Amino acid sequence: MYCEKCSRIFEGDHCPVCRKSKVREPEPKDPCFLSEQDYISAGILEDVLKQNGIPFLKKDVMGAGMAIKVGPMLERSRFYVPYEQLENAAVIADDLFAPAEEGEQSE
């Protein structure tokens, strides 16, 4: 199901974030929450999504005014992608930010 308020995809009849029960089936162009990342990781994800031709919307959590006061390194960004691209984008994000397996660590 899809919550228009939170832009989240979930199973069930209530949004797990806002508890709203007025939800519907997602449509292909619906913006869906992908991930929330810190300043550095957001730049990486933004670049990789662009390279893969996946359209996205990036919303900063604090906003420009607060980021100027506390510094951009504390800013967090939320990424939204169209529902039709959510699965591809999730695979990319998971590959980028998944913890390295013990056998994959370089010496």
Side-chain angles (χ1 to χ4, degrees):
M1 298 303 290
Y2 178 74
C3 177
E4 290 181 354
K5 180 179 178 183
C6 301
S7 299
R8 305 266 180 160
I9 298 291
F10 56 90
E11 292 184 20
D13 58 355
H14 286 74
C15 176
V17 177
C18 71
R19 301 285 184 211
K20 186 176 176 183
S21 61
K22 187 177 177 186
V23 296
R24 62 175 172 78
E25 291 291 325
E27 296 178 8
K29 301 291 184 196
D30 284 335
C32 298
F33 177 78
L34 172 66
S35 179
E36 182 174 317
Q37 300 294 330
D38 61 36
Y39 181 76
I40 301 292
S41 298
I44 294 168
L45 182 57
E46 184 174 0
D47 188 46
V48 173
L49 290 174
K50 284 179 184 176
Q51 289 175 17
N52 284 279
I54 297 176
F56 63 91
L57 172 64
K58 181 177 119 177
K59 290 185 178 180
D60 294 332
V61 175
M62 288 192 296
M66 188 60 131
I68 289 171
K69 285 187 175 213
V70 299
M73 295 303 284
L74 296 178
E75 179 65 276
R76 297 193 58 80
S77 299
R78 293 183 182 144
F79 287 82
Y80 300 85
V81 297
Y83 176 68
E84 62 192 2
Q85 293 286 333
L86 182 59
E87 190 173 323
N88 294 336
V91 168
I92 289 169
D94 289 346
D95 287 348
L96 279 174
F97 304 117
E101 298 288 328
E102 284 186 36
E104 294 178 14
Q105 293 177 353
S106 60
E107 296 178 22

